[in-house]
Amino acid sequence: MYPPSWGDGDPMVVVRVPDGFDVTVQKVWIREHTERHFPQVELIRLDRATTFVDPLYHEAPARRWLDPIPLWASVQHRPSKKALTKYGIEQSRDVLFDVSTLHLSELGILEQSETFLIGDLIRWGGDHYEIKDQIRDTSAYWGTTNIPFFLVLGADYYREGT
């Protein structure tokens, strides 16, 4: 959950761009704001070109990963839960990562597809989280365009060995 404020009395919001800023100044402001207030995480992309997907089950028996890419993301998380199943103890933790589309664009990985990050991993706090859901933030758009400031990525613990 977000803390109630940044500490300067302002209620915490994902991003608030001052009116009247030139586009270049807005980009600089968003970049500095994101890098100052959000923790750095690592995005580990699934190598979709070399990962074989079984046509019958639509699963990848062996996944191949690209090198980690550092990103800044606002992290909202719930406490870890452990449940005893017939296969042993299962650990789960729901996490939302708000990732700046400006950073994704600068890295060359911002795509039009609604699901282009699903299946990738995020390393945060020493754990790996698999992205299960991708939502475009509709509360803040870039000027008068349909480009969102942030993507909200829903993730859960990544099970090693699967």
Side-chain angles (χ1 to χ4, degrees), residues 11 15 75 79 82 97 113 126 130 136 139:
V15 68
V75 182
K82 292 184 180 180
F97 296 96
S113 165
E130 184 174 7
R136 294 178 186 272
S139 62

Side-chain angles (χ1 to χ4, degrees), residues 39-146:
Q40 189 173 27
V41 300
E42 290 182 315
L43 176 66
I44 305 170
R45 304 280 329 257
L46 179 65
D47 188 351
R48 288 166 171 81
T50 61
T51 300
F52 169 74
V53 177
D54 184 290
L56 181 61
Y57 297 106
H58 301 288
E59 293 179 354
R63 298 179 185 184
R64 291 179 173 62
W65 305 98
L66 300 174
D67 292 332
I69 303 167
L71 281 178
W72 286 266
S74 170
V75 182
Q76 303 174 52
H77 59 86
R78 293 200 173 131
S80 298
K81 295 182 209 167
K82 292 184 180 180
L84 182 60
T85 66
K86 66 180 182 179
Y87 300 110
I89 294 180
E90 279 226 5
Q91 187 170 357
S92 68
R93 181 182 199 182
D94 297 329
V95 181
L96 294 177
F97 296 96
D98 295 339
V99 179
S100 167
T101 55
L102 179 64
H103 283 98
L104 293 174
S105 176
E106 289 174 349
L107 293 169
I109 56 175
L110 184 61
E111 300 172 17
Q112 291 298 324
S113 165
E114 295 291 325
T115 60
F116 73 98
L117 289 172
I118 292 180
D120 293 344
L121 300 180
I122 293 183
R123 185 182 307 151
W124 171 69
D127 292 320
H128 290 84
Y129 297 88
E130 184 174 7
I131 298 171
K132 304 281 188 179
D133 195 16
Q134 174 181 318
I135 305 159
R136 294 178 186 272
D137 179 22
T138 58
S139 62
Y141 281 95
W142 186 258
T144 58
T145 69
N146 63 351

Side-chain angles (χ1 to χ4, degrees), residues 7-67:
D8 56 4
D10 270 346
M12 185 167 173
V13 294
V14 175
V15 68
R16 183 184 317 148
V17 180
D19 293 332
F21 275 17
D22 177 66
V23 172
T24 307
V25 177
Q26 287 182 5
K27 286 183 178 181
V28 170
W29 191 88
I30 291 169
R31 186 179 302 106
E32 288 176 358
H33 176 82
T34 303
E35 293 175 7
R36 187 177 327 119
H37 293 292
F38 297 164
Q40 189 173 27
V41 300
E42 290 182 315
L43 176 66
I44 305 170
R45 304 280 329 257
L46 179 65
D47 188 351
R48 288 166 171 81
T50 61
T51 300
F52 169 74
V53 177
D54 184 290
L56 181 61
Y57 297 106
H58 301 288
E59 293 179 354
R63 298 179 185 184
R64 291 179 173 62
W65 305 98
L66 300 174
D67 292 332

